Amino acid sequence: VIEASLSFDGTHVAELKAAVPGYDASEAPALIDFCESDNLGHRVAATWTLKGLLEMGAVTGLDLARVFDRLNHENAWEPLLHLLQSVQHADDAALPYRDAIRRCLAHEKTLVRVWALDALVRIALAHDAERADAREAVDAALSDPKASMRARARKLAPLLGL
């Protein structure tokens, strides 16, 4: 996984995708370090790989608190997107970072906003105390000027009983 992350060209994920099934927990610390790198390419590769690992349920060795803490520090849209897409696979680990996720609802990139909305709902589905905030966010998104936000809100609304 580390080798694939190092050779990532910033665009093509085939090598990352091929590396994910071969993940070894001993690589976890280096992978998480890459999430904090000054090199945007490393952050994109690492967060994409972490998303793939979470999709597979391969969380052994991963410090998910450190992973999701990146939501408080990351500004680039690609790593943010991957982190937000990962929430559906680790909502408990993401719960403490819900304020950072809420801030992503105002991101300039629509795709980040769409996945921030999705992340808030995934957390709310697992934690009843978060449902009111998620309902409010979905309700606001239903009248968003961007069609993709409205579409995601329509898809998520029934999950919250809206």
Side-chain angles (χ1 to χ4, degrees):
V1 179
I2 299 304
E3 188 175 315
S5 294
L6 284 171
S7 63
F8 179 61
D9 67 2
T11 305
H12 302 95
V13 296
E15 195 172 335
L16 294 173
K17 190 174 188 174
V20 167
Y23 167 73
D24 183 293
S26 67
E27 297 176 295
L31 187 61
I32 293 172
D33 285 346
F34 276 15
C35 289
E36 300 169 344
S37 171
D38 290 336
N39 181 312
L40 176 59
H42 289 169
R43 294 196 319 270
V44 172
T47 55
W48 191 97
T49 302
L50 286 164
K51 177 179 72 81
L53 292 171
L54 289 170
E55 287 168 354
M56 284 184 10
V59 296
T60 305
L62 295 176
D63 181 351
L64 294 179
R66 193 168 154 206
V67 169
F68 285 117
D69 184 57
R70 293 302 308 153
L71 290 164
N72 287 314
H73 309 285
E74 186 59 64
N75 293 315
W77 75 270
E78 300 98 326
L80 275 175
L81 176 65
H82 301 151
L83 292 167
L84 293 167
Q85 290 171 328
S86 297
V87 170
Q88 64 186 307
H89 306 291
D91 51 73
D92 285 339
L95 176 64
Y97 306 98
R98 62 194 174 280
D99 290 339
I101 294 169
R102 277 190 207 101
R103 284 191 297 274
C104 290
L105 288 171
H107 197 276
E108 65 186 50
K109 195 79 164 166
T110 303
L111 198 53
V112 170
R113 292 196 312 270
V114 165
W115 281 97
L117 182 65
D118 189 273
L120 287 176
V121 170
R122 302 301 169 179
I123 290 170
L125 293 175
H127 303 278
D128 286 340
E130 301 301 316
R131 285 188 182 242
D133 284 343
R135 282 186 178 117
E136 184 178 309
V138 168
D139 191 48
L142 287 168
S143 59
D144 193 277
K146 295 291 187 178
S148 55
M149 278 295 282
R150 293 190 309 271
R152 183 58 59 101
R154 283 191 304 272
K155 180 180 176 188
L156 295 170
L159 299 176
L160 296 170
L162 295 174

